[in-house]
Amino acid sequence: MARGVLSLRVRVIVVALVVAIAPVLVVAGSGLLERNIGADMRARLEANAVEAAMLLDDGGAIESEVADSQARTHSIRLRIVASGTVVGDADFDRGADSLHQVGQLFFGPDGAPTLAEFDATLGPLEERPEVLDASAGRPVSGCRTSPGGKLLVCHAVVQRPEGTVIYAQESSRRAVRALYDLRYQLLRLTVAMTPIAIALALLLGRGIVKPIRALAGQARARAEDPRPMARLDEVGDAEIRELARSFNELLERLDERQRQNETFTADLVHEIKNPLATVRAAADAIEGGKLDGARAARLARSLRAAGSRLDAIVTQFLELARAEGGLSAEERTDVDVAALARTIAEASSAAREDVVLDIASAPEPVVVRGVVHSLDAAIRNLVENAFSFAGPRDGRAPFVAVAVVADEGWATIRVEDSGPGIPEAELSRVFERFFTSRGRGRGTGLGLALVKATVEAHGGTVTATSDPRRGATFVVRIPLMAAST
């Protein structure tokens, strides 16, 4: 386990503990929040009552209008009493702030009375202690709690010099009061439930962690094998089976890649062994010392051909490795593949004048974003292959057709020849490394593999089809510049 990172089992235990003590935490938190509600309400009400008195002192203000505006603005109940008569009474008390609205949502209606209902039980306004205690200009404030403690009502009283009384009230429902009253019982229940929660968390954590550890053990055992081909056991719950299945898919991909690399290495060694055998034979002949001019010339030609083949294999091998790596380190520019294909096709046609060349391309440039020398090599491989295989058909001269068009955001390059075509059994292998139908010693077998890797490095695709009556057709599709940026 990495330092500073809790294990899955510990996290399960922590979650279980938090859930177990959550009710006590909620009650304690609400108690702390409610502790200052009364003092805050009294301070606000004193300020509201003094403000109403100042408005009346300015003269010209109507008591009912002052009561209505102040009560509406501050969400309180405000009454103005003059000579024992209520001349202004406005009630806009909300009865609950956001905290208690949330509590009411979770715990349901608390059965608390409204401010008006509770106030009706307090007797006439002028006989209340706070009104009797109020002196001119000095507010008196306090709080009362309804029976059952479910409604907190605070008040502030200001008496003007001529005897007018401003009486402000605000209430607050205590939506979590029922739980608060049971806080000690909740605490005892939490203490009793905590060991049970920990035990359940341990069982749950073990149930989760055990199959994961078993799967990890299998993976480590496979990793220690010289050739980790065996599959992991897909047992356990659905999630564990899915995890094992994903590991198995990864192992299969790695194994497939390993087989491909082994095949590639074997093919490369085989291709290099032939020219190396020629070099060794020539070295043995030269070491013998008895060489006439004709034999020396033959040996020189053999060495030159072997060197050329080695150079071609190594060069294409390096190009293929870069292409399969995505050509990430290569500079990309705007490339007109229509002009590039035309230039390559015309150059190849000059080397085989017996082949009829048909070039069809869009009148405007067909531009892609790519590595120009890699695209040149890919298109050249396809075109030169077509010219090398093209032959007469049905009394007609050999032909090669090259077409380049822009089609719905793609540059499509089509190369067709009149050769013998590709047997259906070989179509799926034509893009494999070192696969060739030219015969021993002709070609490296890397050309079409390089075409595929280059096209895919440019975000495209290449396909091969064959019609025994017409020959082979290769189609390359690469995103146009506007679609690939």
Side-chain angles (χ1 to χ4, degrees):
M1 184 177 66
R3 181 178 298 177
V5 180
L6 295 177
S7 69
L8 183 59
R9 182 176 295 178
V10 173
R11 293 181 190 178
V12 171
I13 295 174
V14 170
V15 171
L17 286 175
V18 170
V19 172
I21 65 175
V24 174
L25 294 177
V26 170
V27 171
S30 64
L32 291 174
L33 291 174
E34 286 189 344
R35 180 177 298 175
N36 296 323
I37 287 179
D40 294 341
M41 289 172 58
R42 288 170 59 183
R44 287 197 304 270
L45 289 170
E46 288 177 5
N48 300 153
V50 170
E51 183 179 352
M54 293 175 61
L55 291 174
L56 292 174
D57 288 341
D58 288 341
I62 300 175
E63 289 85 350
S64 60
E65 293 180 354
V66 171
D68 185 80
S69 64
Q70 288 296 100
R72 186 186 302 273
T73 301
H74 302 293
S75 300
I76 61 175
R77 182 179 185 184
L78 186 70
R79 283 172 283 185
I80 301 175
V81 182
S83 301
T85 303
V86 178
V87 294
D89 186 357
D91 187 357
F92 290 95
D93 176 62
R94 291 179 302 180
D97 58 17
S98 57
L99 169 67
H100 300 90
Q101 289 173 354
V102 171
Q104 209 166 18
L105 175 65
F106 281 99
F107 305 119
D110 54 9
T114 64
L115 172 58
E117 291 171 345
F118 178 65
D119 183 79
T121 66
L122 299 179
L125 203 63
E126 62 275 7
E127 296 179 3
R128 298 179 187 178
E130 58 267 24
V131 175
L132 298 176
D133 292 341
S135 60
R138 185 176 65 85
V140 175
S141 62
C143 293
R144 294 184 176 92
T145 303
S146 68
K150 295 181 179 180
L151 184 70
L152 177 68
V153 178
C154 294
H155 57 264
V157 184
V158 172
Q159 184 172 318
R160 297 177 63 208
E162 79 282 2
T164 302
V165 175
I166 295 96
Y167 194 95
Q169 286 178 300
E170 185 178 2
S171 69
S172 176
R173 292 178 179 270
R174 308 182 73 182
V176 294
R177 181 67 190 186
L179 280 180
Y180 186 77
D181 292 339
L182 297 173
R183 59 190 181 278
Y184 296 115
Q185 290 88 337
L186 281 175
L187 181 60
R188 287 196 293 269
L189 180 61
T190 299
V191 171
M193 290 299 297
T194 297
I196 299 176
I198 293 176
L200 290 176
L202 288 172
L203 290 175
L204 180 61
R206 182 181 179 183
I208 294 174
V209 172
K210 185 177 179 180
I212 295 177
R213 286 183 172 175
L215 195 62
Q218 289 187 57
R220 283 193 294 269
R222 303 297 187 273
E224 292 172 359
D225 289 344
R227 188 180 179 89
M229 296 177 57
R231 292 171 57 85
L232 302 179
D233 297 333
E234 297 180 11
V235 296
D237 295 332
E239 295 80 3
I240 302 300
R241 291 198 303 271
E242 179 65 25
L243 181 61
R245 193 174 302 116
S246 299
F247 275 123
N248 285 332
E249 291 176 1
L250 176 62
L251 286 173
E252 290 172 1
R253 296 283 182 89
L254 292 174
D255 186 62
E256 180 183 356
R257 188 65 177 175
Q258 183 176 351
R259 287 196 300 269
Q260 291 176 351
N261 289 336
E262 290 174 353
T263 302
F264 177 67
T265 302
D267 290 341
L268 178 61
V269 171
H270 175 74
E271 291 296 323
I272 291 177
K273 279 183 67 176
N274 292 331
L276 285 179
T278 301
V279 173
R280 186 182 298 109
D284 292 340
I286 293 173
E287 188 178 20
K290 297 179 180 181
L291 295 176
D292 55 24
R295 190 178 183 190
R298 287 196 303 273
L299 288 176
R301 287 193 298 272
S302 297
L303 287 171
R304 188 177 298 108
S308 297
R309 181 161 180 79
L310 281 173
D311 180 68
I313 291 174
V314 171
T315 299
Q316 284 201 321
F317 172 74
L318 292 176
E319 290 177 353
L320 177 60
R322 282 195 292 266
E324 289 183 339
L327 300 172
S328 57
E330 303 290 335
E331 180 183 0
R332 300 195 178 225
T333 58
D334 297 346
V335 182
D336 182 0
V337 291
L340 186 61
R342 177 179 290 276
T343 300
I344 293 172
E346 290 175 348
S348 299
S349 179
R352 278 203 62 180
E353 296 182 353
D354 62 313
V355 177
V356 176
L357 174 62
D358 179 14
I359 301 179
S361 62
E364 65 279 352
V366 180
V367 181
V368 302
R369 189 77 175 173
V371 182
V372 61
H373 65 82
S374 296
L375 290 173
D376 180 285
I379 297 173
R380 189 177 301 279
N381 266 306
L382 291 178
V383 173
E384 289 181 352
N385 269 357
F387 273 97
S388 67
F389 282 104
R393 273 186 175 275
D394 300 328
R396 296 167 52 196
F399 77 88
V400 169
V402 178
V404 183
V405 296
D407 179 25
E408 297 182 354
W410 294 84
T412 301
I413 306 166
R414 182 185 180 91
V415 179
E416 182 181 356
D417 64 63
S418 61
I422 305 170
E424 185 175 354
E426 296 180 358
L427 269 176
S428 61
R429 299 188 59 202
V430 293
F431 296 109
E432 293 180 5
R433 291 172 289 195
F434 294 114
F435 177 80
T436 180
S437 59
R438 295 177 185 269
R440 189 178 183 88
R442 298 183 59 200
T444 62
L446 293 174
L448 291 179
L450 178 60
V451 170
K452 183 176 184 291
T454 300
V455 171
E456 290 179 349
H458 287 81
T461 60
V462 58
T463 56
T465 57
S466 181
D467 185 342
R469 297 167 298 177
R470 293 184 58 84
T473 301
F474 290 84
V475 178
V476 171
R477 285 169 58 83
I478 300 175
L480 291 172
M481 184 180 64
S484 60
T485 55

